[in-house]
Amino acid sequence: MHIMEGFLPWQWCLFWYIIALPVVAYGIIQLKKITDENPESKPLLAVSGAFVFVLSSLKLPSVTGSCSHPTGTGLGAVLFGPAVASVLGFIVLIFQALLLAHGGLTTLGANTFSMGIVGPVVAWLVYKGFQKAGGHTLLGVFFAAALADLMTYVTTAIQLSLAFPVPSFAVAFNNFMYIFAITQIPLAIAEGLLTVVIFDYIMKLKPDILESLKVIPPKVKEKVQAVV
């Protein structure tokens, strides 16, 4: 993930910008709507952004022109939805490109699409699927965060394979995924567990905010209060 500055051909840079920016713009509208309706959620929003920044800054060398790291976007997607999480991811990626030389401005659209859009969408779908099926809340959070992390790297492998299909897209994709998998599978599991710890703490400390954001149903809140 975090494809480095100047690594993608300009046509692909433009392509991913065109796809990513409308989603981020929609996310800004949703962010304003949520904070207007639930102003008490602003500290939680800041925590979600900081979580993305810290985790995604812990990079390990990986495929040439890229790296491996946790993404942290699953928490924001579960709490605020994928559109708002895309805004958090976009802001974090700008700061990391300018301050940490992590990723780049030319590849910002591609990195935003993989980490800020695909990952959060997967996390939100997985968490809502667990809720609908009556699954355990924390188990849903774990799989949401872990699969968001993994699918971010699957998307990055697709992006790199599209730009450099040598000798073919399928072979390039297999090669990228093989290298990513060595570091990313254990990182995804660790990220899922850490996200569960953070979510569980928030659920016990501020169940009212999670209920007002419709992250947990009232019956979960009642169980938490009974335990506390």
Side-chain angles (χ1 to χ4, degrees):
M1 228 289 303
H2 278 36
I3 302 172
M4 70 179 186
E5 181 70 30
F7 192 72
L8 292 179
W10 71 268
Q11 298 92 334
W12 284 112
C13 293
L14 180 62
F15 176 78
W16 295 117
Y17 260 111
I18 291 173
I19 292 180
L21 288 182
V23 179
V24 174
Y26 175 71
I28 293 173
I29 296 172
Q30 290 298 306
L31 190 154
K32 186 177 185 309
K33 180 181 177 183
I34 290 174
T35 53
D36 286 346
E37 294 176 352
N38 301 279
E40 70 280 4
S41 68
K42 290 180 181 178
L44 194 56
L45 187 66
V47 169
S48 300
F51 191 67
V52 176
F53 184 84
V54 173
L55 286 195
S56 60
S57 296
L58 304 175
K59 61 179 183 178
L60 300 172
S62 187
V63 178
T64 300
S66 183
C67 59
S68 276
H69 57 75
T71 65
T73 57
L75 179 64
V78 168
L79 295 176
F80 297 100
V84 173
S86 74
V87 179
L88 298 178
F90 182 72
I91 294 172
V92 165
L93 287 167
I94 289 177
F95 276 103
Q96 290 181 342
L98 296 177
L99 302 178
L100 304 179
H102 190 181
L105 294 179
T106 62
T107 54
L108 181 61
N111 289 329
T112 298
F113 182 78
S114 60
M115 193 181 91
I117 296 176
V118 174
V121 167
V122 170
W124 185 78
L125 290 175
V126 169
Y127 183 71
K128 291 300 180 184
F130 261 79
Q131 276 193 319
K132 193 172 182 178
H136 194 282
T137 298
L138 295 182
L139 194 60
V141 171
F142 170 79
F143 279 105
L147 292 176
D149 182 306
L150 287 176
M151 287 309 297
T152 294
Y153 279 83
V154 170
T155 304
T156 300
I158 292 173
Q159 291 173 317
L160 292 172
S161 302
L162 286 171
F164 307 102
V166 180
S168 67
F169 172 83
V171 173
F173 178 75
N174 285 334
N175 290 336
F176 285 132
M177 281 308 304
Y178 176 76
I179 299 173
F180 276 141
I182 295 173
T183 52
Q184 209 55 39
I185 290 176
L187 282 176
I189 295 172
E191 180 175 342
L193 294 173
L194 178 61
T195 306
V196 166
V197 172
I198 300 296
F199 186 91
D200 186 50
Y201 180 76
I202 296 171
M203 192 163 62
K204 289 175 179 175
L205 187 67
K206 293 289 185 182
D208 291 341
I209 295 178
L210 297 185
E211 184 181 350
S212 64
L213 292 172
K214 299 180 181 178
V215 176
I216 58 173
K219 62 180 181 180
V220 174
K221 172 190 168 185
E222 291 169 2
K223 289 180 181 178
V224 171
Q225 289 177 333
V227 171
V228 174

